[in-house]
Amino acid sequence: MDVSDWVDARNGFIRGEIFTSEEVYQAELKNVFARSWVFLAHDSMLKKAGDFIQNYIGEDPVVVVRQADGSVKAWLNQCRHRGMRICRADRGNTRYFMCSFHGWVYDREGSLVQVPHEEEAYAPETFDKADYGPRQVPRLHNYKGFWFGNWDETAPDFEDYIGDFKYILDSHIDRHEGGLEVVGQHRWIIPANWKYNAEQPSNDSYHAETSHASALTVLERSRKKRREEKGEPDNRVSMATRAAAARGKQFSGGFGHGAGWHEMPEGAMRYQAELPATMEWEDSVRDKVEERLDPYRNANRSHANLFPNFMMLANGTMRVTHPRGPNEMEIWAWTFAPAEAPDEVKEEIRVNVLRTFSAAGMFEQDDAENWLEEQRIFRGYMARQDPLVYTMRIGDARRGLGGVPGIIAPSVYADEGARGMYHHWAELMSGDSWDDIARRNAERLAQVPHAEADNSQEI
């Protein structure tokens, strides 16, 4: 599908048609979601043989199951008989799955093993159960406990797909030797296009001081009150202070991945409101984390999105934004905490995410209101005629700026992440082969000057 009338990522212009068109949406299911790596499950969700979880790739439901040998399989959650969902439970443990329509039974591997009245209903010379298992997800990859799946056997290997985004992803999921575990889950539906919740973590720190002014004011007051009561040194930087400062960077990866972060002053750490046990524990393990990552990534945590729809925040929120038509998204959000942290810390993290980025969270309410309003406005014909402006810091990004891999803009207030995301989205929508897309992507990245060859950028 040619989307060049609506997306000019090189020059930073996007038209509202891509957020509302049914034709665009159907092409996205085929060209974006059926060809990209999508998060499916975490090891802590599949601890023993028979543990399963339902998830989606685009609008296609899949079941992810731990096998007896410890491996994991994922298959389309659709009975071959009449197309019903085979498994209707969100998660659990079982040896077999039975379709509740006519009773066809499948084992953990997705093989059809029992058909009611098979001998009476089907001729043995034309019916073999081995031919009627659900479609398997052919590409699965476990990256540090996180399982990703891909329908497309021609797509790049997962680690080639994430490329320089590994630097960002590791800062979220590989901070602690014991890894992460799930301590909470929330789901909610927003009548707005899925790309808003992919673009924002890829790109947008710009909205925070305006959209979240009320929430930031509440948190700042509680921060000052607690500091005064405890007589604590003020070596931490509040969220309100970070939101008002442009100091930071923005990341754009080759295949649409994006991230942004505010940079802390030398020696300062992020302030996590109302999380005294978490702050104390993080201080106690700071040396280990800095040795595992580096001091820069420990102090400067990002918001990020692994294209197309796996987003993560510094507070432990990780979520998949499932598309539900051009005008609706369904968010599945998990709260992750360090597995080796004390229970008190895990509980603080869980409650903090509930308060801030759950369906009723202070920040989530602000974000959802913005996306709802955008979607309503784009119903208008004239509202979709003029392109939106994605030109912040255009031309200023450099490869490897500040020692950070990828295409890096020298300010947190930039649109480099969004331009990279929509450039890759348009490439996939073309339907061209992954080989052609990867070749053009490499050529595009090679045109970006390297920071070491350009001393004009202030780090």
Side-chain angles (χ1 to χ4, degrees):
M1 183 178 193
D2 182 3
V3 296
S4 58
D5 285 345
W6 306 318
V7 174
D8 179 3
R10 182 180 297 275
N11 293 305
F13 296 106
I14 310 290
R15 285 178 53 187
E17 201 77 25
I18 69 169
F19 302 110
T20 60
S21 165
E22 180 66 30
E23 181 184 9
V24 168
Y25 179 71
Q26 291 300 324
E28 284 180 328
L29 295 181
K30 174 184 177 182
N31 294 327
V32 175
F33 287 98
R35 304 175 70 192
S36 299
W37 287 97
V38 173
F39 171 72
L40 295 180
H42 183 259
D43 273 341
S44 63
M45 305 171 187
L46 306 168
K47 292 181 178 178
K48 58 183 183 295
D51 282 355
F52 69 89
I53 181 173
Q54 279 205 64
N55 209 326
Y56 286 86
I57 300 178
E59 293 234 39
D60 290 313
V62 296
V63 178
V64 191
V65 193
R66 180 73 71 181
Q67 303 296 303
D69 64 359
S71 64
V72 166
K73 289 185 179 294
W75 33 268
L76 186 65
N77 190 11
Q78 182 189 34
C79 182
R80 293 293 305 278
H81 183 220
R82 290 294 187 270
M84 271 278 288
R85 192 184 298 262
I86 297 169
C87 174
R88 302 181 73 174
D90 289 342
R91 61 186 304 175
N93 183 281
T94 189
R95 293 176 64 85
Y96 299 100
F97 300 85
M98 186 186 77
C99 175
S100 58
F101 198 169
H102 297 92
W104 284 27
V105 177
Y106 302 81
D107 65 14
R108 294 168 179 168
E109 295 185 359
S111 301
L112 179 63
V113 296
Q114 183 176 330
V115 173
H117 306 291
E118 179 182 352
E119 294 180 357
E120 295 87 348
Y122 297 97
E125 61 270 20
T126 61
F127 183 84
D128 184 347
K129 291 194 291 295
D131 295 334
Y132 297 106
R135 183 184 291 268
Q136 298 281 326
V137 179
R139 307 280 301 279
L140 292 174
H141 186 86
N142 184 355
Y143 184 78
K144 301 185 178 182
F146 287 74
W147 286 92
F148 295 83
N150 194 328
W151 294 114
D152 189 348
E153 298 191 64
T154 71
D157 291 342
F158 180 79
E159 298 213 19
D160 291 334
Y161 178 74
I162 61 174
D164 291 326
F165 190 77
K166 180 179 186 299
Y167 177 92
I168 303 293
L169 183 59
D170 284 355
S171 71
H172 287 271
I173 71 173
D174 196 25
R175 303 178 64 82
H176 306 281
E177 183 176 357
L180 301 175
E181 67 178 38
V182 175
V183 296
Q185 182 180 4
H186 314 275
R187 299 177 183 176
W188 62 97
I189 293 172
I190 300 175
N193 189 271
W194 69 273
K195 289 188 288 295
Y196 300 131
N197 197 36
E199 175 193 317
Q200 186 157 300
S202 297
N203 188 74
D204 192 351
S205 298
Y206 190 46
H207 74 288
E209 66 177 318
T210 302
S211 293
H212 301 313
S214 296
L216 292 169
T217 299
V218 170
L219 293 177
E220 181 67 3
R221 285 177 179 171
S222 68
R223 181 187 83 91
K224 288 183 177 179
K225 181 180 179 182
R226 180 179 183 280
R227 182 166 58 88
E228 291 169 358
E229 290 176 350
K230 300 291 184 180
E232 294 175 340
D234 192 13
N235 65 338
R236 295 178 183 272
V237 179
S238 72
M239 296 177 69
T241 303
R242 293 202 313 276
R247 182 181 172 84
K249 290 185 173 61
Q250 199 174 88
F251 167 98
S252 178
F255 292 136
H257 319 308
W261 60 93
H262 293 271
E263 289 180 332
M264 298 296 101
E266 184 73 23
M269 296 295 291
R270 297 171 67 256
Y271 177 83
Q272 303 221 51
E274 301 297 324
L275 304 181
T278 302
M279 289 192 294
E280 182 178 351
W281 182 75
E282 288 186 342
D283 283 343
S284 73
V285 299
R286 181 186 302 185
D287 290 346
K288 291 182 179 178
V289 175
E290 292 184 349
E291 182 178 353
R292 193 172 184 83
L293 298 173
D294 51 65
Y296 182 81
R297 278 190 288 177
N298 187 35
N300 303 297
R301 303 187 193 181
S302 63
H303 50 79
N305 187 64
L306 195 163
F307 187 88
N309 62 343
F310 185 44
M311 69 90 77
M312 56 210 78
L313 298 177
N315 65 355
T317 303
M318 298 187 190
R319 62 174 67 167
V320 176
T321 306
H322 295 304
R324 295 291 182 259
N327 300 303
E328 188 171 282
M329 67 174 102
E330 182 173 357
I331 295 176
W332 288 23
W334 295 271
T335 302
F336 283 88
E340 62 191 18
D343 289 343
E344 182 184 13
V345 171
K346 295 175 183 176
E347 179 64 7
E348 272 193 352
I349 293 172
R350 187 190 69 82
V351 172
N352 182 53
V353 170
L354 188 67
R355 182 176 54 193
T356 54
F357 283 97
S358 69
M362 290 187 289
F363 294 94
E364 192 63 38
Q365 293 282 308
D366 297 335
D367 292 333
E369 179 61 25
N370 291 338
W371 299 332
L372 283 166
E373 187 68 8
E374 288 179 283
Q375 200 70 28
R376 291 189 187 112
I377 295 298
F378 283 135
R379 293 176 187 168
Y381 171 77
M382 296 306 297
R384 286 179 274 124
Q385 302 311 302
D386 295 325
L388 308 176
V389 182
Y390 288 77
T391 57
M392 275 198 295
R393 302 304 296 248
I394 195 166
D396 290 343
R398 298 292 181 267
R399 282 186 291 152
L401 183 66
V404 179
I407 307 303
I408 308 299
S411 170
V412 73
Y413 295 154
D415 283 327
E416 198 65 34
R419 287 191 293 269
M421 172 184 148
Y422 287 116
H423 177 89
H424 180 62
W425 177 86
E427 285 277 355
L428 282 176
M429 291 290 279
S430 72
D432 289 348
S433 71
W434 264 110
D435 285 344
D436 287 343
I437 291 172
R439 175 181 52 77
R440 291 197 295 266
N441 180 60
E443 293 171 353
R444 179 178 68 91
L445 298 182
Q447 294 174 3
V448 180
H450 198 289
E452 292 179 354
D454 183 353
N455 296 321
S456 65
Q457 295 292 331
E458 181 181 351
I459 298 175

